[in-house]
Amino acid sequence: MSHVTIIGAGIIGACCARYLTLAGHEVTLVDRIEPGMGCSFGNAGVISTLGSSVQPPSPRLLKDIPSMLFDRDATLVIRWSYLFKMMPWLVTLLRGCTTADQQRTAAAMASLLDGTTSAYDTIVRDTEADQFIRRNGLLGLYSSEQSFANDQWRRDMNRSFGATFDELAREEIRQMEPVLSDQVARAIFFPTVYSTDNPGLLTRAIADRACDGQAKGYVQAEVRDLQIDNGRVTRLKTDQGDMPVDKLVVAAGAFSHRLARMMGIRVLLESERGYHVELEGFESGLTRVCLHYEHAYGINPTTTGLRFAGTVELAGVDAPEKHERGQTIWRRARPVLRELEGVDNPKMTTWMGRRPTLPDFRPMIGPAPGVRDCWFAFGHQHLGLTLGARTGAIIADLVSGHDPGLDLEPFRTDRF
């Protein structure tokens, strides 16, 4: 088998590496930071299933445009200073906000989301990574009967693609998670969803397993340019020196478009900057991950405390963090848990990560356009952790010349 260089040691790159080694390839992971310390470190920890098939681009998104621009506390905001630069991406997004496009994207994402948890089982069972996986489902929360009713369309669409879930009333919610407060009126329980209590360590454990026994399993270096000869990437030019390349996978998350540009390929990718706050060492009594659908944040009892993760800020990859975004999550999430009543000044850390997102909210998975022996695996937006193992399995099939078993046309790398 061949040697495959993977740029990006987040959850997508780590899972690609693991599946490639299972297929008999030698791998080298290359990243400027340690595995799992980028966007994969700070997410909400959800490994979702078909209940996440419906993606944001839709006619309903159009009515939210004014709040994105003028409400600094909105769930999704756009920095005015970045608006002109992101206009090609935004215009393409808005053009896709039709009912027909939403249906097409939902169907495509359902095909990709089918088998996410079993894909993880394949690479974590009987390894150190398995200790970071929970298999006890997910609760989707609503604060009122009205908001629950307003979201019926989403549940119906997800159910049409095969999602399984239970609709819970207040008392059923309390029986499942007594620590949730009366601010939660209704919920959906997804019994087949997995989660992780430490996304960073899960990613690291998968990467370590993939790189174990490899001569150059992991190289910490920043890729500054690519050498292309006869239509192939033959060498990485890094701050640690040049590295020869046989086959290449680009899985560098929000920075992937810069690598594509080095190949002469234009990719409409933007960074959805997400934040989390974590109460260090806080024991909430919560036993599973929860997602609050109205305010778009997740609550995860982690190995290090209690994490609240969410919001979207469109400002590019280089803009400085705005820690007040994390405080917005805290203010909205605090009333949901009984144990947080009276907790005024907890020991709290704030973090920001960059989610790579394409205008149609579908990832790019497949051969790089016009470049031989090179594959793209990025643009997974909020579903990077969810789709990590699934994407890794697909990339391993493609590199090995096998049929991955699903239609990759909706995810083709030259669609924009």
Side-chain angles (χ1 to χ4, degrees), residues 16 25-26 32 72 76-77 103 186 202 211 265 315 339 342 374 380 403:
C16 287
H25 299 276
E26 293 183 346
R32 60 188 178 85
R72 295 298 90 189
L76 193 161
V77 300
Q103 287 279 357
R186 296 297 300 269
L202 173 66
C211 294
I265 302 168
E339 294 297 319
C374 179
H380 295 74
D403 182 356

Side-chain angles (χ1 to χ4, degrees), residues 196-385:
T196 174
D197 57 11
N198 197 312
L201 290 183
L202 173 66
T203 303
R204 182 64 191 239
I206 293 171
D208 286 348
R209 187 76 172 189
C211 294
D212 185 36
Q214 307 288 312
K216 292 184 178 179
Y218 173 67
V219 176
Q220 188 166 339
E222 181 180 354
V223 178
R224 294 179 173 173
D225 203 356
L226 305 174
Q227 180 176 324
I228 300 178
D229 298 305
N230 299 318
R232 289 182 60 254
V233 177
T234 57
R235 192 169 296 274
L236 306 185
K237 297 180 179 296
T238 81
D239 60 349
Q240 302 300 313
D242 287 4
M243 296 176 56
V245 171
D246 180 12
K247 298 180 186 297
L248 181 67
V249 174
V250 177
F255 300 90
S256 296
H257 64 306
R258 293 180 175 177
L259 294 160
R261 192 182 305 135
M262 296 174 191
M263 304 178 203
I265 302 168
R266 176 176 176 263
V267 173
L268 279 179
L269 184 144
E270 280 296 338
S271 167
E272 284 190 78
R273 297 149 58 89
Y275 289 78
H276 87 220
V277 293
E278 188 160 306
L279 310 189
E280 297 181 5
F282 189 85
E283 295 286 346
S284 66
L286 194 66
T287 64
R288 56 177 53 81
V289 71
C290 298
L291 294 181
H292 200 294
Y293 286 123
E294 290 156 87
H295 298 308
Y297 65 80
I299 310 173
N300 188 355
T302 67
T303 59
T304 52
L306 184 64
R307 176 177 297 182
F308 303 88
T311 81
V312 173
E313 177 189 40
L314 293 166
V317 297
D318 298 319
E321 299 178 23
K322 283 198 170 183
H323 292 292
E324 55 266 36
R325 294 294 292 167
Q327 293 302 313
T328 297
I329 302 174
W330 165 242
R331 289 195 303 272
R332 290 175 175 173
R334 180 179 172 182
V336 171
L337 293 176
R338 299 181 191 277
E339 294 297 319
L340 295 180
E341 295 178 4
V343 178
D344 295 321
N345 296 296
K347 186 178 181 182
M348 181 186 300
T349 59
T350 304
W351 173 92
M352 185 275 290
R354 302 163 179 85
R355 308 183 191 101
T357 305
L358 294 147
D360 57 4
F361 275 60
R362 307 175 199 165
M364 284 187 172
I365 306 174
V371 183
R372 291 185 289 115
D373 295 331
C374 179
W375 294 264
F376 286 171
F378 56 78
H380 295 74
Q381 30 96 9
H382 299 251
L383 299 176
L385 179 65

Side-chain angles (χ1 to χ4, degrees), residues 94-106:
L94 296 177
R95 284 175 178 167
C97 286
T98 68
T99 300
D101 283 325
Q102 184 183 37
Q103 287 279 357
R104 282 191 288 268
T105 292

